[in-house]
Every structure is written in C-alpha cells, then in structure tokens.
Amino acid sequence: MESLIIESTEFTPTVSLNLSNKEFRISGESRPENANIFYTSILKWLDDYYNFLYWQKSKTDTEENEKLFFDFQFDYFNSTTAKFILDILMRLEKIHKDITPITVRWIYEEPDIDMKDAGEEFEGIVGVPFEYVIEL
C-alpha cells in the first residue's frame, strides 16, 4: 500500500495520507467543482487502508495497537465538502472501532468559532474522539 499525497489547488485542499510517518492530514480550502471526483480517491484509500490494517492485525494477532491521529485543518469548506468530511469520518470510525484507536485533531484559527462549531457537529455524529487545536 502506498501513501496518498495530493497538492492543493485554488479550490482543493492538500491531502497527506503518509504511511511512512503515519501523518494523516487534510488542510486548506475545499470547494472543488466536482467534490465527488476529488474525494473518491481519498475514500478509496481509506477503504484500502482499513483492509491493510485488518490484514496486518490478523497476522500479528496482538492486542496493543498504535494510536493514530488524523488532522483536519480547513480554512473553508463548502456544504458539498461537508458530506465528504462525514464520509471520511465514518471510515475513521470503522478503523477506530475495529482495528486501532484514532483521534481526530480538528485544527482551527482562534477567531474562527464557526470552524470549531463545525468540528463539534461532526464529533456529535461519529464515534471518534476529537481534540480541538487552536492554530495561532
């Protein structure tokens, strides 16, 4: 399995799903013209990652799992993107419940209370712990 790295554009965020250093981050603005096309590769990667972790867990058969962090740091996202963020979070919830602990770090700028509120709404829907990090 390989990492998924997508450079940002004017309308899409940076995506770094890096297996070598276990850094998982989506950051920037997300208002793609066709969100389905953009986010499908991320959702597929997460499905493949679930299968990869599940296979590894069955091979090692150990109870001790490394805690993973998944960072979201949006400057802005549109309503279509919100649906895909929820899809991502639901996949993270499945990994969290079935394989290994995951914590979502929801990073936002201090004056952007709306972005914090968005994170809290997502947290209320999925069963993954959130940490809120203020970006200075």
Side-chain angles (χ1 to χ4, degrees), residues 2-99:
E2 294 186 20
S3 298
L4 177 64
I5 309 296
I6 302 171
E7 296 296 322
S8 66
T9 69
E10 182 181 349
F11 304 107
T12 61
T14 299
V15 177
S16 178
L17 305 177
N18 192 327
L19 291 175
S20 62
N21 63 7
K22 295 205 169 121
E23 177 184 289
F24 306 104
R25 174 182 284 263
I26 300 175
S27 61
E29 284 198 22
S30 182
R31 49 189 172 99
E33 189 171 310
N34 189 329
N36 187 46
I37 290 173
F38 181 78
Y39 282 98
T40 295
S41 62
I42 298 167
L43 297 173
K44 172 151 181 12
W45 190 92
L46 288 168
D47 290 339
D48 292 344
Y49 188 56
Y50 175 89
N51 293 330
F52 173 76
L53 290 174
Y54 189 82
W55 179 78
Q56 273 195 323
K57 182 180 178 183
S58 67
K59 274 182 62 175
T60 58
D61 204 27
T62 179
E63 286 300 312
E64 198 169 310
N65 294 314
E66 178 182 6
K67 184 175 185 179
L68 300 176
F69 293 93
F70 198 105
D71 297 347
F72 290 92
Q73 186 175 6
F74 287 105
D75 299 326
Y76 170 82
F77 61 84
N78 61 16
S79 58
T80 306
T81 296
K83 183 252 187 245
F84 286 98
I85 293 171
L86 185 56
D87 289 345
I88 290 167
L89 289 168
M90 292 174 87
R91 282 163 171 81
L92 295 178
E93 178 180 35
K94 186 175 180 184
I95 294 169
H96 177 74
K97 287 183 175 179
D98 295 350
I99 301 171

Side-chain angles (χ1 to χ4, degrees), residues 104-120:
V104 169
R105 289 189 291 214
W106 191 265
I107 303 164
Y108 65 99
E109 292 185 12
E110 186 171 19
D112 194 353
I113 299 305
D114 291 337
M115 190 59 71
K116 182 178 187 230
D117 290 345
E120 289 172 344

